[in-house]
Amino acid sequence: MSRAMMVVLLTGSVWLLTAGAMASDAPVVYKSKCVSCHAADGTGSPVGKKMGARDFHDPEVVKLTDQQLNDAITKGQKKMPAYSGKLTADQIKDLVAFIRDLQKKK
């Protein structure tokens, strides 16, 4: 086997091994940090609604930019706690993408 072929195979193997590690943990983070107020489908749990949690499908929430959602998660809003220091910037970015996916499902 040529040296170039070995490099290609090793590079591909490393990529395959790390691809799983790079997968988003947003569903797990959402379930542990968000679902109690926002519900699994993003419509808002009964407790969350009483506390003012927004339905992610509400047109006012849908029109928010990704940066505005990121800021809300990072800094908190009203009764929602800030997750800066509790979640990484990548986890917050992945949560925004997860919320966008939830918005497509209703």
Side-chain angles (χ1 to χ4, degrees):
M1 185 178 295
S2 74
R3 186 173 194 164
M5 182 64 101
M6 286 293 288
V7 169
V8 169
L9 288 174
L10 286 172
T11 303
S13 297
V14 168
W15 182 83
L16 286 173
L17 289 172
T18 59
M22 294 184 333
S24 169
D25 63 347
V28 173
V29 173
Y30 184 84
K31 186 175 181 179
S32 69
K33 304 285 187 197
C34 313
V35 89
S36 62
C37 292
H38 291 284
D41 63 358
T43 58
S45 70
V47 170
K49 287 178 183 178
K50 286 181 183 178
M51 293 175 51
R54 304 281 303 272
D55 180 340
F56 293 143
H57 305 92
D58 181 308
E60 293 296 314
V61 176
V62 172
K63 77 177 185 180
L64 294 174
T65 66
D66 288 357
Q67 186 60 53
Q68 288 171 311
L69 289 174
N70 187 302
D71 290 347
I73 296 167
T74 301
K75 299 173 186 173
Q77 265 189 347
K78 299 180 184 175
K79 293 184 181 181
M80 182 177 140
Y83 285 97
S84 176
K86 298 174 186 168
L87 298 175
T88 66
D90 284 340
Q91 287 175 312
I92 293 171
K93 180 182 168 192
D94 289 346
L95 274 176
V96 170
F98 187 82
I99 290 166
R100 294 299 188 203
D101 286 342
L102 287 177
Q103 290 171 333
K104 295 174 189 173
K105 294 180 180 178
K106 187 173 180 185

